[in-house]
């Protein structure tokens, strides 16, 4: 089983603040299959996590809308954001709920 991890950040610098961590298990072979029932998605409190913030990137996210509502990223940051240490602890524990350890996962 393989894992793909996606980070949404407040910029492109290596030290950019992390807004969201997403991950999904998938089978790369034979034809590739995303295992949608095995996903990870957490939002990180901006003020909690170290790093730089690009003003233009922040402005971009704040301007995003979905229909007549705020973009899911903005809603996630407002309603669901957690401390970075908690998000990382959850990410480390995430494979265990499927009987897999990080040592058994291809990334």
């Amino acid at each position: 089983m393989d894992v793909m991890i996606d980070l949404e950040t407040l910029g492109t610098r290596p030290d950019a603040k992390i807004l969201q961590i997403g991950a999904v298990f998938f089978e790369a072979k034979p034809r590739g299959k995303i295992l949608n029932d095995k996903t990870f998605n957490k939002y990180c409190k901006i003020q909690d996590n170290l790093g730089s913030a690009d003003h233009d990137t922040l402005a971009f996210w704040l301007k995003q809308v979905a229909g007549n509502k705020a973009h899911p990223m903005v809603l996630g940051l407002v309603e669901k954001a957690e401390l970075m240490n908690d998000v990382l602890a959850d990410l480390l524990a995430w494979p265990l709920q499927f009987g897999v350890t990080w040592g058994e996962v291809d990334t």
Side-chain angles (χ1 to χ4, degrees):
M1 202 173 336
D2 296 285
V3 169
M4 185 178 343
I5 297 176
D6 179 50
L7 300 177
E8 294 295 340
T9 64
L10 272 180
T12 57
R13 291 176 35 146
D15 69 335
K17 288 180 178 284
I18 296 172
L19 299 176
Q20 180 184 28
I21 301 175
V24 66
F25 279 106
F26 68 100
E27 296 172 352
K29 297 178 182 177
R31 295 182 355 191
K33 178 181 175 186
I34 294 175
L35 306 173
N36 287 325
D37 59 332
K38 296 177 174 28
T39 61
F40 179 90
N41 184 37
K42 296 275 184 157
Y43 298 92
C44 307
K45 289 190 176 199
I46 297 171
Q47 68 273 27
D48 176 54
N49 93 65
L50 301 174
S52 66
D54 178 75
H55 175 74
D56 291 336
T57 305
L58 179 59
F60 166 82
W61 281 116
L62 293 176
K63 290 181 199 173
Q64 300 307 302
V65 293
N68 61 352
K69 296 179 7 180
H71 189 276
M73 170 67 81
V74 175
L75 291 175
L77 290 170
V78 171
E79 299 171 357
K80 300 177 186 176
E82 301 176 37
L83 297 174
M84 177 60 82
N85 285 344
D86 294 339
V87 171
L88 292 175
D90 289 349
L91 179 62
L92 286 174
W94 171 65
L96 299 175
Q97 60 188 298
F98 308 110
V100 179
T101 67
W102 280 108
E104 300 170 300
V105 171
D106 293 322
T107 54

